[in-house]
Amino acid sequence: MTEKLWVFDTTLRDGEQVPGCQLDTREKIIVAQALEALGVDVLEAGFPVSSPGDFKSVQEISKAVSNPTICALSRAVEKDIEVAADSLRFAKKGRIHTGIGVSGYHIQHKLRSTPEAVLERAVKAVTFAKNLVDEVEFYAEDAGRADKDYLAKIIEAVIKAGAKVVNIPDTTGYCLPVQYGALIRFLKENVSNIDQAIIATHCHNDLGLATANTLSGVENGARQVEVTMNGIGERAGNTSLEEVVMAIKCHSEIPVHTDIVTKKIYETSRIISKLMNMPIQPNKAIVGKNAFAHSSGIHQDGVLKFRENYEIIDPKDVGVEESSIVLTARSGRAALKHHLNLLGFPVEGEKLNEIYERFLELADTKRDIGRKELLSLIGEQMDHSLLVEIQDISYQGAEGKEANAEVTLEMGDKVLTGSSKGNGPVDAVIKSIKQLIEHKVILDEFLIQAMTKGSDDVCKVHMRIMHEGKPYYGFASETDIVLASARAFVDALNKLPIKATN
Ligand code: KIV
Ligand code: ZN
């Protein structure tokens, strides 16, 4: 068994410092619960002395979450530490994260102090905090630009004072991976009591090196990584949780493991992006929209022959249903054939060539070719369109009680209305839709997730339907749970060939 690598998530502290990302207590609890389900070991919930709201959030998260250690940040100031300890009163296991700037810049130009006085403050802060909580972690702010002998001295002193974790932040994202790794190694080799503490990495992404630096730190002996979901954080962000966790999973030569439930990565990423109003760049590693999308003909052909030709991660491992083969003007016949197959139109040889020629003409004028465009391409040959669209839905009754629903669907050039009873409006609506479609489908998996709480709830519905032994997935998010369910069902239906009954 490899050694455990502790995952310390600071999405709700360093991540939440980003302008426009602020969450209220209720939203922070949703994020904290998602991070707990993801399996983080330590959850940095806030900086309690900074505002009454932050204090309350740390306190409420301490009550709402039980598995991870709850951590509160403080400066090396007694008042901060007292407030942090107070906010952690309800935590099953609480940790104070206290520290001070240790680089020449910080000592001279921020603290306007001396190395000796800073060391004394660091030791005093750890000694004071140790009596108030289960664990104390010390951060040596701007360690990446500090004098390494001085850094070793201060780390030795705070461990002696009781720090169980020593955090070596590259606060300004300045280090190169080889330098950051060497710094961790230096501390391992030159701090006499280092075996009494865990070394933590805490990297910022100003040069786009946060993940590389973190991994270099781990390879050189760090056993805690401080990360945020989607890499959000000050300026260019912090090390991204998903990148480090998946790099470690992919590379067995790094002799550590994490307890992250990787299948929950995608879902957690989306919850946080949505609540924090922080869109994810499409090419973001692991969680970007394009992370498992293939658009060039050569890659598409390769992936369709053998997924691992162009993918090092199975998308299912991070909770993404499947890789996507995006149809663009760069796509080849293999991709087109694949999509036509998925629509239930297996085409080969000359016929495929013919459709492909017209596909290329269309793709040159459109960015993406979706199902609608494909159907119209085939329509020229097959003379019908199969897209299902909801025109109208009405229902009466509450969940758990008998309900009636009426649904009008547009399918190609037909408009059809179906109605049904059900044990609740969702059931009645789904039954009404089923009446209007020809093929037999079984609703196999139905997941509703509340994205926010309150009168403006948004719920996300994920559905899996089975048709002729094959699964098809549908998604929708709406404020109305019945409408979201109907849309998710129709989204799944639109991925299989459907014909109207009359
Ligand atoms: O980047 C940093 O140095 C920090 C510390 C407060 C841990 O976020
Ligand atoms: Zn930071």
Side-chain angles (χ1 to χ4, degrees), residues 89-109:
R89 241 175 326 140
F90 300 103
K92 304 262 174 326
K93 199 165 169 199
R95 177 186 295 186
I96 286 180
H97 189 193
T98 189
I100 192 161
V102 300
S103 66
Y105 293 98
H106 281 221
I107 295 172
Q108 272 180 49
H109 303 297

Side-chain angles (χ1 to χ4, degrees), residues 13-14 73 97 139 141 167 169 171 202 204:
R13 201 277 299 168
D14 229 351
L73 186 81
H97 189 193
Y139 66 85
E141 193 178 6
N167 176 14
T171 305
H202 180 113
H204 281 263

Side-chain angles (χ1 to χ4, degrees), residues 143-146 148 151 168-170 172-187 201 203 207 209 212-220:
R145 295 189 298 171
K148 62 183 189 338
L151 180 65
I168 313 299
D170 181 22
T172 55
Y174 172 73
C175 291
L176 296 173
V178 65
Q179 293 169 334
Y180 190 72
L183 183 61
I184 302 297
R185 171 101 359 239
F186 178 81
L187 295 174
T201 64
C203 300
L207 293 173
L209 294 171
N213 284 346
T214 298
L215 292 172
S216 177
V218 172
E219 284 182 297
N220 283 283

Side-chain angles (χ1 to χ4, degrees), residues 362-382:
L362 186 65
D364 264 338
T365 61
K366 283 195 111 243
R367 270 208 196 145
D368 281 327
I369 305 290
R371 177 189 159 96
K372 206 167 188 166
E373 289 74 22
L374 271 183
L375 286 174
S376 83
L377 266 182
I378 299 165
E380 284 177 37
Q381 300 225 316
M382 300 202 169

Side-chain angles (χ1 to χ4, degrees), residues 266-320:
Y266 189 74
E267 177 190 333
T268 314
S269 156
R270 286 303 180 272
I271 292 173
I272 289 171
S273 157
K274 192 151 185 164
L275 285 175
M276 288 191 156
N277 253 326
M278 274 288 272
I280 299 166
Q281 71 194 60
N283 59 328
K284 167 79 186 65
I286 321 291
V287 292
K289 179 172 155 275
N290 293 347
F292 300 100
H294 306 273
S295 53
S296 85
I298 297 172
H299 286 213
Q300 291 176 332
D301 182 53
V303 164
L304 288 170
K305 283 180 174 141
F306 187 55
R307 191 187 57 74
E308 283 155 59
N309 280 336
Y310 285 101
E311 276 182 1
I312 56 166
I313 295 169
D314 183 339
K316 289 191 178 61
D317 281 352
V318 295
V320 174

Side-chain angles (χ1 to χ4, degrees), residues 294-362:
H294 306 273
S295 53
S296 85
I298 297 172
H299 286 213
Q300 291 176 332
D301 182 53
V303 164
L304 288 170
K305 283 180 174 141
F306 187 55
R307 191 187 57 74
E308 283 155 59
N309 280 336
Y310 285 101
E311 276 182 1
I312 56 166
I313 295 169
D314 183 339
K316 289 191 178 61
D317 281 352
V318 295
V320 174
E321 300 296 358
E322 56 193 352
S323 322
S324 54
I325 304 288
V326 187
L327 288 176
T328 69
R330 309 285 157 263
S331 301
R333 282 174 185 70
L336 180 65
K337 184 175 162 186
H338 169 75
H339 274 276
L340 291 173
N341 258 332
L342 287 180
L343 289 175
F345 297 105
V347 267
E348 305 266 1
E350 245 333 283
K351 197 157 184 182
L352 178 62
N353 288 342
E354 216 180 280
I355 299 174
Y356 183 65
E357 288 310 312
R358 283 185 295 113
F359 160 78
L360 282 183
E361 274 167 35
L362 186 65

